[in-house]
Amino acid sequence: MPTNNAMRRLVITGMGAICALGHDAPSVWKAMSEGRSGIGPIHHIQPGQLRNGGIAAEVSNYDPANFFDEARRALLDPFSEYALIAANEAIRQSGIRFEGEAAERTAVVIGSGVGGETTRDDLYERLYGEHQGRFHPLGIVRMMMNAPASQVSMVHGITGPAFVVASACSSSNHAFAQAAMMIRSGMVDAAVVGGTEACITLGTLRAWEAMRVLAPDTCRPFSKGRRGLVLGEGAGMYVLETLESAQKRGAQILCELVGTGMSSDAGDIAAPSDIGAAAAMNAALRDGGISPDQVDYINAHGTGTAANDSTETKAIHRVFGAHAHELVVTSTKPMHGHALGAAGALELVAAIGAIQDGIVPPTLNYLEPDPACDLDYAPNEARDMKVDVAISNSFAFGGLNAVVAIRRAP
């Protein structure tokens, strides 16, 4: 396999986001950099229906009619709505045009862990709860996993490869890896890539409750006294293209995507492995030609569960050695929640913002150190610091790991 220097260099020229922190990427980043949380009571589910008190990081003050006409709304589950909103923003910022051959040589790759859960929940409530025999005729096209990729391709006339990657909480970062490989290989010249999730439904929440990993109060990664994760929803989408193309168009370059790394634990279906997580980080660094001591910031997977946070800390020690204590490692999940398949895409907003603005977002809700988590987590307050290189970690149930490495724009 050729080295990264022999490959096409990849840059991000557009970014879009929607989640509990805002309806566009600037709003989301501003909230992250100020350490504001979007976690709160769930509004569309009765609290008595949930054991954990009914908290999540919902997309709030959201009306799809503000973004889509009635005909388009009939085709969309919220997870496709979020993907389209974020993709539209990223494409506008990039200024990229999908005309002629460019449409054929652009891919759409989107990560999602669970798909159209709102539609699925509604259909099953009608079938099993209300005993209705008739379903909405567009139910399948709303809830199918590939719906957001299809919708983005149709709205923007993109005729190149379009598909959805599903690897639970690593879906977005796997999508970045797939898009990067296609562009590097010459299969395509650009990609609209990211992740989306709309998982705040009664069925999904009850299933997560049954695993006993949901926090009853809030998400507090790496802190002693952490009690679990808090689900979130939303989407992050990006325009990824070659450096040559971006420079030729005179596009603003947000950052360079230098490496991706993937691994599988081949161990337990739910328990994380520090060996597998370390393998993915090492692979991303090798792919990007980055030495461990060049990394300044890690946006951690940092779910707030006892097992994940201590395991991720061990993995960081494995990869970075003594340099681990020079790094700043934060989790933004206390702000936007754990958005499952969209997690990596939302967290890339934080990594890019840290590089561009010199602000590392904090790890909120930190109470006191845990001996098993002994790194610098920038507890509760953002950190002003120069960031040239950052990595973003995603580790999923099933032992599927994916890491993205980015650096300051050339």
Side-chain angles (χ1 to χ4, degrees), residues 215-240:
D217 50 356
T218 193
C219 178
R220 49 182 87 254
F222 302 109
S223 171
K224 188 174 182 179
R226 62 189 180 276
R227 301 177 66 185
L229 61 88
V230 176
L231 290 181
E233 61 180 354
M237 295 294 295
Y238 303 81
V239 173
L240 182 67

Side-chain angles (χ1 to χ4, degrees), residues 6 138 283 303 312 316 368 398:
L138 298 175
T303 61
E312 186 168 10
I316 291 169
E368 59 179 307

Side-chain angles (χ1 to χ4, degrees), residues 100-256:
E101 186 181 11
E104 300 175 11
R105 295 191 57 77
T106 299
V108 179
V109 189
I110 298 176
S112 186
V114 296
E117 284 298 283
T118 299
T119 299
R120 188 175 290 108
D121 250 27
D122 289 346
L123 293 181
Y124 289 167
E125 181 179 4
R126 288 175 178 271
L127 178 64
Y128 299 119
E130 301 172 3
H131 304 290
Q132 294 188 20
R134 298 183 65 182
F135 278 1
H136 193 290
L138 298 175
I140 291 295
V141 299
R142 288 165 59 97
M143 71 181 180
M144 62 189 186
M145 286 291 290
N146 62 296
S150 298
Q151 292 292 340
V152 170
S153 70
M154 290 186 293
V155 167
H156 293 283
I158 299 170
T159 57
F163 55 95
V164 165
V165 175
S167 54
C169 310
S170 292
S171 299
S172 290
N173 280 6
H174 274 117
F176 289 121
Q178 291 294 316
M181 286 189 288
M182 285 195 290
I183 299 174
R184 284 175 170 179
S185 73
M187 180 183 292
V188 296
D189 297 322
V192 180
V193 57
T196 187
E197 208 78 273
C199 54
I200 311 302
T201 67
L202 180 59
T204 303
L205 285 160
R206 290 300 299 270
W208 278 92
E209 281 186 339
M211 291 197 75
R212 302 184 185 278
V213 295
L214 292 186
D217 50 356
T218 193
C219 178
R220 49 182 87 254
F222 302 109
S223 171
K224 188 174 182 179
R226 62 189 180 276
R227 301 177 66 185
L229 61 88
V230 176
L231 290 181
E233 61 180 354
M237 295 294 295
Y238 303 81
V239 173
L240 182 67
E241 61 182 301
T242 64
L243 173 61
E244 180 184 15
S245 169
Q247 290 176 333
K248 186 176 180 179
R249 293 194 303 108
Q252 177 191 9
I253 296 173
L254 304 182
C255 71
E256 183 174 7

Side-chain angles (χ1 to χ4, degrees), residues 360-406:
V360 169
T363 302
L364 292 187
N365 306 321
Y366 191 92
L367 296 176
E368 59 179 307
D370 180 342
C373 302
D374 61 351
L375 300 175
D376 181 357
Y377 304 109
N380 301 318
E381 293 185 5
R383 184 81 53 83
D384 290 333
M385 61 176 283
K386 184 180 180 184
V387 177
D388 290 317
V389 178
I391 68 172
S392 180
N393 290 342
S394 289
F395 309 131
F397 278 170
L400 308 181
N401 312 302
V403 176
V404 174
I406 62 173

